[in-house]
Amino acid sequence: MSKIELLAPAGDMERLKINLLYGADAVYIGGQDYSLRANATNFSVSQMIDACSFAHNLGKKVYLTLNIVFHNEDIDGIYEYIDNVVLAGIDAFIVSDPFIISYIVKNYPNVEVHVSTQASISNVESVLFLKNEGVKRIVPAREISFKEIKEIIEKTGVDIEIFIHGAMCTFFSGRCTLSNYLTNRDSNRGGCSQVCRFAFKIDEEENENFTMATKDLNMARYIKEIIDIGVKSLKVEGRMRSIYYLATVVSCYRKIIDACYDNTLTDELLDYYDKALGKVANRETSTHFFVKEADYTDQYYTGRQELSNQDFLAIVFSYDKENKIMTLSERNYFEPGVEAEIIMPSGKIVSFVVDKIYDKDMNVLDAARHPEEILKIYIDYEIEEYSMMRIKV
Amino acid sequence: MQLVLVPSKKEDIDKYKTINNYIIGVKDFSVNYNFVMDINEIINLSSEYSNKNIFVVINKNIMNDDLQKLEQMMIDINNSNIKGILFYDMAVLSIKKRLNLKIDLVWNQGHMVTNYNTCNYYYDKGVNFAYISNEITLEEMIEIKKNSKIKLFTLLFGYPIMAHSKRKLLTNYSISSNKNILKDSHKIVDKISNKEFIIKEDNIGTSILFGDISNHVLAIDEMLKNDFDYGVIDSNYINSDTILEMINIIDRILLGEDLSSYKERIINLIGDNSSFLYKKTIYKVKRK
């Protein structure tokens, strides 16, 4: 039985590499047009060639989001664009508009079509309809439950991909235009300004804070159940998230998935990964509709602050085996004596106490104070390129 | 252009005598509609008013547990005088094809009815009507009309729906704030822009409407020139005298009278918010 896929978001080439090196089986990316994260850096067609080459050399895949709700003006050039990105080596398209499905299925039968959660597919009948249209995989509405997902898989045989981690919408995907009306930014074409996170007066009461904001999603404790019902892919949200966030989230889910298949998953391990995931989040999390109808416990009301996270200390560029010195680029302030750990793309984690910190010319520093400053630190353990140093979990 | 009314109560069918087309929400299967009826009541109504075209709305996100009831309901609708179904979920189209039902379908995915290619996709699947998005420009609407054979429903005036959630947002707020607020409609106001919205909750979820009436009537000349098929009047939250007077005015314009002579009165009655008719939304924030 093949392992469930871990699918991660890549807003640019650096994020793509981090995701794949840290254990994602596939990444989803956006082009510079037609994707629902219009303000991420995204990929040009020539960058997609490099992205696909990098992923395919690792035996991994790249999916391209093409999931805007098209307006007339977006149609011009779309077919040529699809032709070009197929040549770039894209493994699948994630789409929502059905006319795009028809074109890809007809012209590129070997390239998979995945239907985006933007289409809010939520039942067996719709899945069968899309299967008949040639769709290989569906990312259903995030409003459906474990039981409903299981029933869809059993009755349709279509590959199902579900979101397991990250920000959630308050409203059904595709059914929200708050952003259009309040900020003139088109939510269904990637311009969402997250009006659902604003505070409102209700019934003319000046001091009332009516909010609709949701907590983030975290399914870490349900991965075994999700594997058991036959879900094909686990998706992490966040094409605009930092590399540290992505490395941590991907690495934790990689470990949890592998432990599920090895029968080594314990409550202690889950507690550890849950804590690690919590350290990179700036919001509380819940399971939303997965195990019960979402209610007030899945939302935020008053008094919430989004705290910036300063646990990410540095990224490792290289390791000098002979002198046992790693070269890093600083991200947040730290000083000698800090209890740190290094997470590596291979999944290894090394804990240590920082002794001396040197600058690039090996002058001793009293602290690492400047983001992106090149630093050197002695450590008697071979550290992999792209490893990340953080405060010990 | 034919007028279509979204009534706010059953009696509206007798009250607005010149209207021949109605859109009515189905209890437990329609979202964003204030006035809904049990499907059997609507079927009876369609027999009682056999000279009128009654369309029903099935626009909730269909869940597995809804499918059996939906299928039976569609069979019943197919055997009734109901003219057609405004549908959101593809399950409706799938059931129609699978059971070879003759009932007309109106593609009614709200904010997603935004281009002629997708209209043509649905037309090729046997869907003869589409209710066009309220968030596109008049120019885009005209382009869709010119490039698709599908017949178009377009909002003429009414409070536009902005968003729908499965979450019970008023109930949740009520619990969290220890305030026993009613789930009926409330006004919420953005604290920065002071823009107002209407929020309401029912057993299916929560809907939010924009707080100003969208007035597309002032663009009716262009719509008529381009053979728009159906103009929708959504009467929810608007008083019946206003609706009656607006219907009279639009009837006269449809008979050839000059819009300009009614313009001031129209604005007095429903305001001049043209919504997105002449305002394109942006979706890429320019980088510095």
Side-chain angles (χ1 to χ4, degrees):
Chain A
M1 187 175 76
S2 63
K3 263 189 189 176
I4 199 166
E5 176 184 84
L6 178 57
L7 175 61
D12 57 28
M13 197 59 154
E14 185 183 32
R15 289 171 170 87
L16 178 139
K17 286 180 178 175
I18 292 292
N19 281 318
L20 295 174
L21 292 171
Y22 274 82
D25 300 300
V27 288
Y28 60 100
I29 66 172
Q32 288 172 340
D33 294 296
Y34 312 119
S35 118
L36 276 177
R37 291 294 174 272
N39 297 303
T41 304
N42 290 325
F43 289 72
S44 64
V45 174
S46 66
Q47 287 170 324
M48 286 180 208
I49 295 171
D50 294 340
C52 291
S53 170
F54 185 87
H56 294 164
N57 283 338
L58 295 171
K60 304 191 176 197
K61 292 180 177 176
V62 179
Y63 305 149
L64 179 71
T65 54
L66 213 62
N67 55 350
I68 62 164
V69 173
F70 281 74
H71 284 220
N72 299 331
E73 65 183 5
D74 304 313
I75 294 170
D76 195 25
I78 181 61
Y79 300 128
E80 187 183 357
Y81 181 76
I82 292 172
D83 298 344
N84 287 334
V85 298
V86 167
L87 288 175
I90 294 296
D91 297 286
F93 289 98
I94 304 172
V95 307
S96 68
D97 214 319
F99 87 86
I100 299 288
I101 298 173
S102 305
Y103 180 80
I104 299 168
V105 168
K106 185 177 166 194
N107 293 284
Y108 299 105
N110 296 325
V111 181
E112 290 186 6
V113 175
H114 302 172
V115 171
S116 166
T117 196
Q118 177 74 2
S120 279
I121 302 300
S122 56
N123 63 77
V124 168
E125 184 83 37
S126 300
V127 172
L128 287 172
F129 179 86
L130 288 166
K131 180 182 185 180
N132 199 40
E133 293 291 290
V135 166
K136 171 74 175 162
R137 180 188 291 191
I138 284 171
V139 193
R142 286 169 287 181
E143 285 78 2
I144 68 173
S145 68
F146 176 82
K147 176 177 163 277
E148 287 163 327
I149 294 167
K150 184 169 183 279
E151 193 178 350
I152 287 173
I153 292 168
E154 287 170 353
K155 291 186 175 173
T156 69
V158 172
D159 290 355
I160 295 296
E161 169 184 311
I162 63 168
F163 279 93
I164 52 166
H165 204 89
M168 287 283 281
C169 291
T170 301
F171 299 89
F172 278 105
S173 286
R175 297 196 89 152
C176 177
T177 53
L178 294 178
S179 177
N180 302 48
Y181 282 88
L182 204 62
T183 64
N184 202 38
R185 285 170 55 177
D186 191 344
S187 52
N188 285 331
R189 287 195 290 174
C192 176
S193 53
Q194 303 198 346
V195 172
C196 59
R197 300 200 179 274
F198 291 12
F200 298 84
K201 286 189 287 191
I202 183 164
D203 297 336
E204 305 287 351
E205 293 193 39
E206 283 296 331
N207 297 324
E208 278 301 311
N209 260 331
F210 177 81
T211 65
M212 310 175 242
T214 59
K215 294 177 182 174
D216 282 4
L217 179 70
N218 177 343
M219 299 299 299
R221 292 184 183 278
Y222 292 90
I223 298 302
K224 178 77 169 66
E225 285 89 337
I226 294 169
I227 291 170
D228 287 346
I229 63 170
V231 168
K232 284 284 188 251
S233 179
L234 303 175
K235 184 174 206 164
V236 174
E237 178 275 344
R239 268 182 278 159
M240 292 164 81
R241 302 274 193 173
S242 72
I243 54 167
Y244 173 56
Y245 174 92
L246 293 171
T248 305
V249 172
V250 167
S251 161
C252 285
Y253 279 105
R254 176 78 274 151
K255 292 278 187 59
I256 294 170
I257 292 166
D258 291 348
C260 287
Y261 285 94
D262 298 343
N263 288 319
T264 55
L265 191 65
T266 61
D267 286 343
E268 290 74 24
L269 270 178
L270 271 177
D271 288 343
Y272 174 81
Y273 294 125
D274 212 20
K275 197 172 166 190
L277 289 167
K279 298 273 267 184
V280 291
N282 57 8
R283 297 187 192 124
E284 293 173 57
T285 60
S286 86
T287 55
H288 290 274
F289 291 91
F290 192 74
V291 289
K292 64 169 178 57
E293 276 297 300
D295 59 24
Y296 72 97
T297 61
D298 300 293
Q299 285 179 243
Y300 278 116
Y301 295 96
T302 54
R304 182 178 70 95
Q305 287 184 311
E306 293 194 2
L307 301 171
S308 68
N309 186 303
Q310 298 179 343
D311 287 354
F312 178 28
L313 303 179
I315 181 166
V316 178
F317 284 163
S318 61
Y319 183 74
D320 176 350
K321 281 191 226 174
E322 196 175 326
N323 296 305
K324 300 186 183 347
I325 288 176
M326 60 178 171
T327 302
L328 317 92
S329 171
E330 197 225 306
R331 289 295 181 272
N332 278 299
Y333 176 92
F334 63 97
E335 53 192 37
V338 67
E339 267 195 278
E341 64 188 12
I342 291 183
I343 57 168
M344 298 191 228
S346 64
K348 292 176 197 157
I349 298 176
V350 183
S351 300
F352 72 115
V353 176
V354 173
D355 184 12
K356 287 193 172 64
I357 304 168
Y358 302 93
D359 69 11
K360 64 180 170 37
D361 300 317
M362 294 305 285
N363 300 306
V364 177
L365 302 172
D366 64 337
R369 301 177 186 281
H370 308 294
E372 304 210 5
E373 183 179 11
I374 301 300
L375 306 170
K376 290 179 185 287
I377 293 176
Y378 175 86
I379 184 167
D380 189 8
Y381 196 99
E382 186 172 345
I383 304 298
E384 298 163 18
E385 188 184 7
Y386 292 111
S387 294
M388 307 221 182
M389 181 171 138
R390 69 185 179 197
I391 302 279
K392 191 169 188 292
V393 171
Chain B
M1 177 189 276
Q2 296 187 48
L3 296 186
V4 186
L5 183 76
V6 178
S8 53
K9 52 189 175 303
K10 192 176 158 186
E11 292 71 32
D12 287 353
I13 297 180
D14 288 323
K15 182 165 188 171
Y16 307 121
K17 293 187 188 307
T18 60
I19 301 286
N20 289 318
N21 306 288
Y22 292 87
I23 295 172
I24 300 177
V26 181
K27 187 171 178 286
D28 298 328
F29 282 86
S30 297
V31 297
N32 311 331
Y33 285 77
N34 268 359
F35 171 60
V36 294
M37 294 170 71
D38 180 86
I39 189 59
N40 293 318
E41 284 183 90
I42 304 176
I43 287 171
N44 291 338
L45 199 70
S46 70
S47 298
E48 193 183 334
Y49 292 91
S50 56
N51 57 333
K52 309 272 188 186
N53 293 320
I54 293 181
F55 293 86
V56 295
V57 186
I58 298 175
N59 67 340
K60 71 167 287 196
N61 291 77
I62 302 295
M63 300 292 159
N64 291 341
D65 287 348
D66 298 320
L67 286 171
Q68 199 176 352
K69 194 170 175 190
L70 173 66
E71 185 167 322
Q72 185 56 53
M73 192 164 64
M74 286 182 63
I75 292 167
D76 294 343
I77 291 170
N78 193 58
N79 296 329
S80 76
N81 279 335
I82 289 173
K83 166 74 175 157
I85 301 171
L86 279 75
F87 75 100
Y88 186 94
D89 199 298
M90 278 182 166
V92 174
L93 173 58
S94 182
I95 290 170
K96 176 191 155 144
K97 288 176 74 74
R98 181 163 53 76
L99 300 181
N100 198 24
L101 303 177
K102 302 298 175 210
I103 186 83
D104 274 327
L105 293 186
V106 184
W107 176 38
N108 180 43
Q109 281 189 316
H111 321 299
M112 296 202 265
V113 185
T114 52
N115 76 78
Y116 51 80
N117 264 10
T118 316
C119 285
N120 289 335
Y121 168 89
Y122 280 105
Y123 185 79
D124 291 344
K125 299 281 179 202
V127 177
N128 292 327
F129 306 87
Y131 191 156
I132 215 162
S133 165
N134 296 326
E135 292 81 31
I136 61 174
T137 63
L138 180 61
E139 190 184 344
E140 289 176 299
M141 291 178 185
I142 291 168
E143 203 176 353
I144 291 172
K145 181 64 193 166
K146 284 180 176 165
N147 288 283
S148 175
K149 290 179 188 162
I150 208 160
K151 290 181 177 155
L152 295 184
F153 283 57
T154 315
L155 181 70
L156 279 180
F157 71 93
Y159 287 96
I161 181 71
M162 296 164 68
H164 173 68
S165 176
K166 196 182 179 197
R167 300 170 198 272
K168 306 285 171 61
L169 297 175
L170 289 170
T171 298
N172 292 348
Y173 173 73
S174 188
I175 294 169
S176 72
S177 63
N178 279 323
K179 290 193 170 103
N180 192 19
I181 63 169
L182 297 171
K183 291 175 201 165
D184 212 355
S185 64
H186 292 261
K187 188 168 80 174
I188 57 172
V189 180
D190 171 43
K191 290 187 172 185
I192 297 166
S193 66
N194 272 326
K195 284 186 179 169
E196 292 182 6
F197 311 112
I198 300 163
I199 183 167
K200 69 185 197 73
E201 180 186 309
D202 59 23
N203 62 327
I204 302 177
T206 309
S207 300
I208 299 187
L209 292 81
F210 193 55
D212 291 337
I213 294 173
S214 283
N215 176 358
H216 296 176
V217 182
L218 299 178
I220 199 166
D221 284 348
E222 279 296 305
M223 292 179 182
L224 292 173
K225 200 163 84 184
N226 288 283
D227 294 326
F228 280 36
D229 306 281
Y230 293 91
V232 179
I233 296 168
D234 190 335
S235 72
N236 283 295
Y237 302 105
I238 303 175
N239 78 56
S240 57
D241 290 343
T242 300
I243 296 292
L244 193 59
E245 189 173 348
M246 281 301 301
I247 289 172
N248 288 336
I249 291 171
I250 296 168
D251 278 342
R252 283 180 214 153
I253 295 167
L254 293 180
L255 287 170
E257 289 194 33
D258 192 358
L259 167 70
S260 60
S261 56
Y262 294 105
K263 191 173 173 185
E264 195 177 331
R265 184 62 187 149
I266 290 170
I267 292 170
N268 281 339
L269 286 167
I270 59 171
D272 63 353
N273 170 30
S274 60
S275 204
F276 295 96
L277 279 188
Y278 308 104
K279 182 175 70 175
K280 275 178 85 161
T281 45
I282 55 167
Y283 62 103
K284 280 195 179 181
V285 180
K286 283 184 180 166
R287 293 173 203 285
K288 286 183 180 173

